[in-house]
Amino acid sequence: MTKILSKPDYERAIAASRDQRMAWWREARFGVFVHFGLYSILGRHEWAQVQENIPAEEYAKLADSFAPKPGAPREWARLAKAAGAKYMVMTTRHHEGFSLWDSKANPFNSVNYGPHRDIVREFVDACREFDLRIGFYTSLMDWHHPDGWKCAFDNEARRRFLDYIEALNTELLTQYGKIDILWYDVARPMDNWEGWDSLARNQRLRALQPDIIINDRSLLDEDFGTPEGHVTARDRDWEACMTFNDISWGYVDEEQARAYAYTAPRILKMLNTCSHNCGNLLLNIGPKPDGSVPADAVEPLTGVGEWLARNGEAVYGAKRRCDRDRFEGGNGLCATSVSADGKTVYLWNWIWPHGGKMGLGGYFTAPKRVTLLATGQEVPFSFDGQRIVLEGLPETCPDPLGVAVIKMEFDAVPEWHVFSRYPQLNGGRSEY
Ligand code: GLC
């Protein structure tokens, strides 16, 4: 029996172990989300059941035709690895209430219906094969369970439903060995953690997996925040979850989704915002009904992986938070990430300068060494007291994706003020 702590005591206890539990996650920076379920068959958003008001019995019939091809999760893991991701999070059961594992608590599952296979097991095995950390997405809301809505106003239904939710997650956290992330979603219809009994349940679930990291969607803060659909820094550990097309998490007919799909450079922009604000990117793929990944996601992800193989040093690792963003450089317009000790600055160039020269305003310290990160090629530079000028740069961007990173190493954390020479841009004040 787990002794249940009060909320303040629980929060103190998990805060005390957080640095150790989250060390790998803070280094990882990039994960792949997978939304896969019966909605993948419909191909028109994972909320189709509710958006179209499809009766539950009718929707449930989809389970019979759910037929992921053998080895599909392995394909996801192989792609995630090639993309440079360090972990994956899969929808073990989305709001539709269909469990993708051999669940005793929920007979509406992929072993009793459709493929008659434990997709969660296949996912876990694939993650281990490709050395990816493992995350389980678990919806709190359930549109299939008879108490899934009643629980809001009928206390007995609520007790039953909470037992069901806990039984599902207990299965997930006991049947598959070490699991790294529990990723809750949509705490409805109850609207507070007391209603969901999250404090006690999460303590019991943590007792099953002491190193686990839990997100903030059971209405407790837990370990990390989850900005959704935008990459916005938080003042805590955070992970931005993004669809691949800004229209749906679940598979959407490719012809229609294509125009909205992210390109590799767009994904690099997201990773850049994450890495210089100490956050992670959880980028989603929505496999087709047979489990294969749409080409529109495969190609950009592969490009991102190749880029990370050249420039990963600017992304991975517990970076230092930095406030230099857009104004980093002159004609090069860079955005930055900074090493944990702050002495190395990585300039990501969205625009490559013409003429082989790039001025970097506002530096009060000269670097000791400047190189192109991907090749290690030295970049000559001059320094005039508040400006570094890089010289002899390649005429055109040396990176095949058009995003080249310049690495500047300093002896100490460099002093930097963007408005050093033009105090009128700083409200007339010169602080320097
Ligand atoms: C949402 C949606 C859902 C999706 C999730 C991912 O809250 O309800 O469909 O799975 O976000 O973050």
Side-chain angles (χ1 to χ4, degrees):
M1 276 289 274
T2 313
K3 180 176 174 295
I4 301 303
L5 304 174
S6 68
K7 187 163 178 281
D9 285 351
Y10 173 61
E11 286 177 346
R12 255 191 301 277
I14 57 171
S17 63
R18 184 164 294 132
D19 285 348
Q20 170 256 314
R21 286 183 295 109
M22 297 194 67
W24 73 264
W25 188 94
R26 291 173 181 159
E27 300 266 316
R29 293 293 165 238
F30 183 27
V32 166
F33 213 174
V34 183
H35 274 68
F36 191 52
L38 304 181
Y39 47 83
S40 312
I41 304 173
L42 295 178
R44 39 177 208 265
H45 202 282
E46 74 285 353
W47 276 67
Q49 179 179 356
V50 158
Q51 284 168 345
E52 299 172 21
N53 220 347
I54 305 172
E57 324 73 68
E58 187 185 322
Y59 188 88
K61 290 190 193 130
L62 288 170
D64 297 324
S65 52
F66 185 54
K69 64 179 180 190
R74 210 172 160 266
E75 195 181 302
W76 312 336
R78 196 180 43 214
L79 175 62
K81 187 73 181 182
K86 304 291 185 187
Y87 61 103
M88 281 181 105
V89 179
M90 184 190 74
T91 52
T92 61
R93 180 186 123 277
H94 204 262
H95 313 329
E96 65 186 7
F98 187 66
S99 287
L100 296 184
W101 75 96
D102 188 8
S103 174
K104 301 292 166 279
N106 180 19
F108 186 46
N109 67 53
S110 62
V111 172
N112 290 337
Y113 294 87
H116 301 286
R117 285 178 10 228
D118 186 331
I119 307 297
V120 169
R121 161 67 61 206
E122 295 176 18
F123 168 73
V124 166
D125 289 347
C127 288
R128 295 208 172 110
E129 180 185 342
F130 288 92
D131 193 26
L132 296 160
R133 297 276 185 157
I134 304 166
F136 285 164
Y137 165 108
T138 177
S139 176
L140 285 165
M141 179 161 66
D142 192 305
W143 300 328
H144 184 80
H145 194 284
D147 293 322
W149 192 246
K150 246 198 258 168
C151 57
F153 47 86
D154 172 338
N155 212 26
E156 273 180 28
R158 189 176 72 92
R159 268 297 15 131
R160 282 195 303 269
F161 189 63
L162 291 179
D163 286 348
Y164 164 74
I165 290 291
E166 184 156 343
L168 293 173
N169 288 295
T170 303
E171 288 178 353
L172 288 171
L173 298 187
T174 52
Q175 291 176 192
Y176 301 94
K178 189 165 186 292
I179 300 306
D180 301 294
I181 303 166
L182 185 64
W183 214 102
Y184 279 119
D185 196 22
V186 183
R188 287 201 210 150
M190 274 84 73
D191 56 9
N192 53 44
W193 62 264
E194 291 94 334
W196 282 101
D197 200 22
S198 294
L199 183 62
R201 183 185 55 261
N202 290 358
Q203 291 183 55
R204 288 190 290 268
L205 294 178
R206 279 186 190 275
L208 305 173
Q209 295 274 350
D211 292 330
I212 205 154
I213 298 171
I214 303 183
N215 75 351
D216 62 349
R217 295 194 179 183
S218 66
L219 305 179
L220 291 172
D221 288 345
E222 295 291 353
D223 292 318
F224 66 96
T226 52
E228 175 173 328
H230 52 96
V231 187
T232 312
R234 299 268 169 95
D235 284 329
R236 59 176 308 204
D237 287 297
W238 61 277
E239 177 198 66
C241 51
M242 299 292 288
T243 63
F244 210 88
N245 45 34
D246 212 14
I247 47 179
S248 170
W249 297 90
Y251 173 68
V252 176
D253 167 71
E254 270 168 291
E255 290 307 314
Q256 299 194 47
R258 178 154 306 137
Y260 302 96
Y262 291 119
T263 59
R266 296 293 307 170
I267 297 167
L268 294 181
K269 288 221 82 185
M270 298 179 205
L271 277 174
N272 173 260
T273 307
C274 292
S275 76
H276 74 229
N277 288 291
C278 302
N280 284 12
L281 174 66
L282 184 63
L283 182 63
N284 182 70
I285 52 174
K288 298 184 205 180
D290 72 352
S292 57
V293 182
D296 294 340
V298 174
E299 202 192 301
L301 280 172
T302 308
V304 167
E306 288 164 2
W307 188 91
L308 283 167
R310 301 189 289 274
N311 299 290
E313 192 185 314
V315 173
Y316 303 123
K319 295 267 179 287
R320 185 188 174 106
R321 195 155 181 147
C322 89
D323 53 8
R324 304 161 195 191
D325 199 333
R326 248 167 275 159
F327 288 102
E328 185 68 47
N331 49 1
L333 266 188
C334 314
T336 316
S337 56
V338 184
S339 62
D341 66 4
K343 293 185 201 167
T344 305
V345 173
Y346 301 93
L347 304 170
W348 303 45
N349 295 272
W350 312 118
I351 304 173
W352 191 252
H354 299 295
K357 258 193 176 190
M358 184 191 306
L360 301 168
Y363 280 87
F364 286 67
T365 327
K368 60 177 184 198
R369 193 161 178 253
V370 182
T371 49
L372 294 175
L373 177 60
T375 57
Q377 186 191 319
E378 294 270 348
V379 177
F381 62 90
S382 60
F383 177 65
D384 74 355
Q386 40 184 305
R387 178 185 199 219
I388 300 166
V389 179
L390 308 180
E391 329 230 356
L393 290 165
E395 278 300 315
T396 54
C397 179
D399 183 80
L401 275 184
V403 184
V405 179
I406 293 168
K407 176 178 177 179
M408 296 205 293
E409 294 164 82
F410 295 84
D411 283 321
V413 177
E415 219 192 308
W416 179 84
H417 300 285
V418 71
F419 296 129
S420 61
R421 223 190 284 271
Y422 297 100
Q424 65 272 32
L425 295 175
N426 199 20
R429 285 185 311 275
S430 172
E431 296 154 19
Y432 322 113

